[in-house]
Amino acid sequence: MTVSNAVGRSGGRGPTTGPWRNWAGNVTARPTRSVAPASTEELAAAVRAAAADGLTVKAVGTGHSFTPAAATDGLLIRPERLTGVRRIDRAAGTVTVAAGTPLKHLNETLAAHGLSLTNMGDIMEQTVSGATATGTHGTGRTSASLAAQITALELVTADGSVLTCSADENPDVFAAARLGLGALGVISELAFAVEPEFLLTAREEPMPYDEVTDRFDELVAENEHFEFYWFPHTGSCNTKRNNRSQGPAAPPGRVSGWIEDELLSNGVFQLACTVGRAVPAAIPGIAKISSRALSARTYTDIPYKVFTSPRRVRFVEMEYALPRAAAVAALGALKALVERSDFKISFPVEVRTAPADDIPLSTASGRDTVYVAVHMYRGTPHQAYFAAVERIMTAHEGRPHWGKLHTRDAAYLAEAYPRFGGFTAVRDRLDPDRRFANAYLRRVLGD
């Protein structure tokens, strides 16, 4: 089945210039020029033209990474015209989608055809290629990241040629490029495994920190998707358990859903963060109130409406992937850090899990994983807190999320990833002149 898509023309065909900024506002790029190709052929031509002019090339998504992974002073490839669901193959259980397609559009199109991804992250504003290239993930006992759901991809390489990659065709490139940081080329389309749409029942409820950590292994084992948020300066957590359901669908009521997801999680939280930034001493008191504001609720809906939620309060973030067995010890060290320090933390700490996968640069590569994410409200000094958290995470064999703030370099990461050398070998073959390099990739992959 071919699915047509009306593609917007906001990017224009010709090259443009001007600064690009990410969602959080902490990264700015000033490319020599930028283009918005509408097809694989236009994308390949843009890469060839950049090579002829001696320009580096980076593709951006919607800017939801906090690192400068996509920043360039050369040619910036913008995503807004390379969009749309191209094919749905029900027999194979796959959907093929242009690289610049927002996850929101993919999810809505799949739902219209009675299909769904198996797992996803907690927002859907990113493009499919940006989300997979940096390792975006949700939480799952047996279902892994978005990149692990890729079944095939199309890659424009440094000389402008196009490689079709899958487990059967160019398998070494496919293995690496599913999560490639934009270092191997520019992805033009992706195919994902999909399944018939199902229902999820979400059970959200407060739980004391000590109970969550005492029962952590049990809660992960008993639920298909378990996550929790710990509110610093308190002994309180909010837990969420998502499990498949026979139905019927029972989504949150319009008013109650708006109160929970918009008024409390965005509107009131935005106000609390603003007050906390102006008066840091007020944050512990605000945290105690915030941790009690969200009540228990249960609802049942189609997957993307359960997995994802609106995130309108802007922040910066650091997230580390640890061996699953290190979860409670690392969290205990983080809690002790907050209690003994002068840090005032207004954002909850997010904890999720993933099964081991076989992707070379996946943060879950080769090991069952727990993710610990810390955030700070945009405009609040975060460096000292993040540095202290990073010391805890690296002491527990942590791997930083590629799209979130960290200070690790290639020497550290080569030790953290058993297949790091395999990835860089593919990079050396596909991009020996570093057409797709930038300062961030030189730091994390070497040069």
Side-chain angles (χ1 to χ4, degrees), residues 139-176:
T139 189
R141 182 179 60 202
T142 58
S143 53
S145 70
L146 282 171
Q149 297 171 64
I150 296 173
T151 62
L153 59 90
E154 187 178 76
L155 183 73
V156 176
T157 60
D159 62 0
S161 60
V162 180
L163 285 181
T164 302
C165 307
S166 68
D168 299 318
E169 188 174 4
N170 297 306
D172 58 334
V173 178
F174 174 70

Coordinates of all heavy atoms in Angstrom, one line a residue, residues 139-176:
T139 N 10.3 3.1 27.7 CA 10.6 2.2 28.7 C 10.0 0.8 28.4 O 8.9 0.8 27.8 CB 10.2 2.7 30.1 OG1 10.7 1.8 31.1 CG2 8.6 2.7 30.2
G140 N 10.6 -0.3 28.6 CA 10.1 -1.5 28.3 C 10.8 -2.7 28.9 O 12.0 -2.7 28.9
R141 N 10.0 -3.7 29.2 CA 10.6 -5.0 29.8 C 11.3 -5.8 28.7 O 12.4 -6.3 28.8 CB 9.5 -5.8 30.4 CG 10.0 -7.1 31.1 CD 8.8 -7.8 31.7 NE 7.7 -8.1 30.7 CZ 6.5 -8.3 31.0 NH1 6.0 -8.2 32.3 NH2 5.6 -8.6 30.1
T142 N 10.6 -5.9 27.5 CA 11.1 -6.7 26.4 C 11.2 -5.9 25.1 O 11.8 -6.3 24.1 CB 10.3 -7.9 26.2 OG1 8.9 -7.6 25.9 CG2 10.4 -8.8 27.4
S143 N 10.5 -4.7 25.0 CA 10.5 -3.9 23.8 C 11.5 -2.8 23.9 O 11.5 -2.1 24.9 CB 9.1 -3.4 23.5 OG 8.6 -2.7 24.6
A144 N 12.3 -2.6 22.9 CA 13.4 -1.7 23.0 C 13.2 -0.3 22.3 O 12.0 0.0 22.0 CB 14.7 -2.4 22.4
S145 N 14.3 0.3 22.0 CA 14.2 1.7 21.5 C 13.6 1.8 20.1 O 13.4 0.8 19.4 CB 15.6 2.3 21.4 OG 16.4 1.6 20.4
L146 N 13.4 3.0 19.6 CA 12.9 3.2 18.2 C 13.9 2.6 17.2 O 13.5 2.0 16.2 CB 12.7 4.7 17.9 CG 11.4 5.3 18.5 CD1 11.5 6.8 18.3 CD2 10.2 4.7 17.8
A147 N 15.2 2.8 17.4 CA 16.2 2.3 16.5 C 16.2 0.8 16.4 O 16.4 0.3 15.3 CB 17.6 2.8 16.9
A148 N 15.8 0.1 17.4 CA 15.8 -1.3 17.4 C 14.6 -1.8 16.6 O 14.5 -3.0 16.3 CB 15.7 -1.9 18.9
Q149 N 13.6 -0.9 16.3 CA 12.4 -1.3 15.5 C 12.6 -1.1 14.0 O 11.7 -1.3 13.3 CB 11.2 -0.6 16.1 CG 10.9 -0.9 17.5 CD 9.8 0.0 18.1 OE1 8.7 0.0 17.7 NE2 10.2 0.8 19.1
I150 N 13.8 -0.6 13.6 CA 14.1 -0.3 12.2 C 14.3 -1.6 11.5 O 15.1 -2.4 12.0 CB 15.3 0.6 12.1 CG1 14.9 2.0 12.7 CG2 15.7 0.8 10.6 CD1 16.1 3.0 12.7
T151 N 13.7 -1.8 10.4 CA 14.0 -3.1 9.6 C 14.8 -2.8 8.3 O 15.3 -3.7 7.7 CB 12.6 -3.7 9.2 OG1 11.9 -2.8 8.4 CG2 11.8 -4.1 10.4
A152 N 14.8 -1.5 7.8 CA 15.6 -1.2 6.6 C 15.7 0.3 6.6 O 15.0 1.1 7.3 CB 14.9 -1.6 5.4
L153 N 16.7 0.8 5.9 CA 16.9 2.2 5.8 C 17.6 2.6 4.5 O 18.2 1.7 3.8 CB 17.7 2.8 7.0 CG 19.1 2.2 7.2 CD1 20.2 3.0 6.5 CD2 19.4 2.2 8.7
E154 N 17.5 3.8 4.1 CA 18.1 4.3 2.9 C 19.1 5.5 3.3 O 18.7 6.4 4.0 CB 17.1 4.9 1.9 CG 17.5 5.3 0.5 CD 16.4 5.8 -0.3 OE1 15.9 6.9 -0.1 OE2 15.9 5.0 -1.2
L155 N 20.3 5.4 2.9 CA 21.4 6.3 3.4 C 22.1 6.9 2.2 O 22.6 6.3 1.3 CB 22.4 5.5 4.2 CG 23.5 6.2 4.9 CD1 23.0 7.0 6.0 CD2 24.6 5.3 5.3
V156 N 22.1 8.3 2.2 CA 22.9 9.0 1.3 C 24.3 9.2 1.8 O 24.5 9.8 2.9 CB 22.3 10.4 0.9 CG1 23.2 11.2 0.0 CG2 20.9 10.2 0.3
T157 N 25.3 8.7 1.1 CA 26.7 8.7 1.7 C 27.5 9.9 1.2 O 27.0 10.8 0.4 CB 27.4 7.4 1.3 OG1 27.5 7.3 -0.1 CG2 26.7 6.2 1.9
A158 N 28.8 10.0 1.5 CA 29.6 11.2 1.4 C 29.7 11.6 -0.1 O 29.9 12.8 -0.4 CB 30.9 11.0 2.0
D159 N 29.7 10.6 -1.0 CA 29.9 11.0 -2.4 C 28.5 11.2 -3.1 O 28.5 11.3 -4.4 CB 30.7 9.9 -3.2 CG 30.0 8.5 -3.1 OD1 28.9 8.4 -2.6 OD2 30.6 7.6 -3.7
G160 N 27.4 11.2 -2.4 CA 26.1 11.4 -3.0 C 25.5 10.1 -3.5 O 24.4 10.2 -4.0
S161 N 26.1 9.0 -3.3 CA 25.4 7.7 -3.7 C 24.4 7.3 -2.6 O 24.5 7.8 -1.5 CB 26.5 6.6 -3.9 OG 27.2 6.4 -2.7
V162 N 23.5 6.4 -3.0 CA 22.4 6.0 -2.1 C 22.6 4.5 -1.8 O 22.6 3.7 -2.7 CB 21.1 6.3 -2.7 CG1 19.9 5.8 -1.8 CG2 20.9 7.8 -3.1
L163 N 22.6 4.2 -0.5 CA 22.7 2.8 -0.1 C 21.4 2.4 0.5 O 20.8 3.0 1.4 CB 23.8 2.6 1.0 CG 25.3 2.6 0.5 CD1 26.2 2.4 1.8 CD2 25.6 1.6 -0.5
T164 N 20.9 1.2 0.0 CA 19.7 0.6 0.7 C 20.3 -0.5 1.6 O 21.1 -1.3 1.2 CB 18.8 0.0 -0.4 OG1 18.4 1.0 -1.3 CG2 17.6 -0.7 0.3
C165 N 19.8 -0.4 2.9 CA 20.4 -1.2 3.9 C 19.4 -2.0 4.7 O 18.3 -1.4 5.1 CB 21.3 -0.4 4.9 SG 22.5 0.7 4.1
S166 N 19.7 -3.2 5.0 CA 18.8 -4.1 5.9 C 19.7 -5.2 6.4 O 20.9 -5.2 6.2 CB 17.6 -4.6 5.1 OG 18.1 -5.6 4.1
A167 N 19.1 -6.1 7.1 CA 19.8 -7.2 7.7 C 20.4 -8.1 6.5 O 21.3 -8.8 6.7 CB 18.9 -8.1 8.6
D168 N 19.8 -8.0 5.3 CA 20.2 -8.8 4.2 C 21.0 -8.0 3.2 O 21.8 -8.6 2.4 CB 19.0 -9.4 3.5 CG 18.2 -10.3 4.4 OD1 18.8 -11.1 5.1 OD2 16.9 -10.3 4.4
E169 N 20.9 -6.7 3.1 CA 21.5 -5.9 2.1 C 22.4 -4.8 2.9 O 21.9 -4.1 3.7 CB 20.5 -5.2 1.3 CG 21.1 -4.4 0.1 CD 20.0 -3.8 -0.8 OE1 18.8 -4.0 -0.5 OE2 20.3 -3.3 -1.9
N170 N 23.7 -4.9 2.6 CA 24.7 -4.0 3.3 C 24.5 -4.1 4.8 O 24.3 -3.2 5.5 CB 24.5 -2.5 2.9 CG 24.8 -2.3 1.4 OD1 25.9 -2.7 1.0 ND2 23.9 -1.7 0.7
P171 N 24.5 -5.4 5.3 CA 24.2 -5.6 6.8 C 25.1 -4.9 7.7 O 24.6 -4.5 8.8 CB 24.2 -7.1 6.9 CG 25.1 -7.6 5.8 CD 24.8 -6.6 4.7
D172 N 26.4 -4.7 7.4 CA 27.3 -4.1 8.3 C 26.9 -2.6 8.5 O 27.0 -2.0 9.6 CB 28.7 -4.2 7.9 CG 29.0 -3.7 6.5 OD1 28.1 -3.6 5.7 OD2 30.2 -3.4 6.3
V173 N 26.5 -2.0 7.4 CA 26.1 -0.6 7.4 C 24.8 -0.5 8.1 O 24.6 0.4 9.0 CB 26.0 0.0 6.0 CG1 25.5 1.5 6.1 CG2 27.4 0.0 5.3
F174 N 23.9 -1.4 7.9 CA 22.6 -1.4 8.5 C 22.7 -1.5 10.0 O 22.1 -0.7 10.8 CB 21.7 -2.5 8.0 CG 20.4 -2.7 8.8 CD1 19.4 -1.7 8.6 CD2 20.2 -3.8 9.6 CE1 18.2 -1.9 9.3 CE2 19.0 -3.9 10.3 CZ 18.0 -3.0 10.1
A175 N 23.6 -2.4 10.5 CA 23.8 -2.5 11.9 C 24.2 -1.2 12.6 O 23.7 -0.9 13.7 CB 24.8 -3.6 12.2
A176 N 25.1 -0.5 11.9 CA 25.6 0.7 12.5 C 24.7 1.9 12.3 O 24.5 2.7 13.2 CB 27.0 1.0 11.9

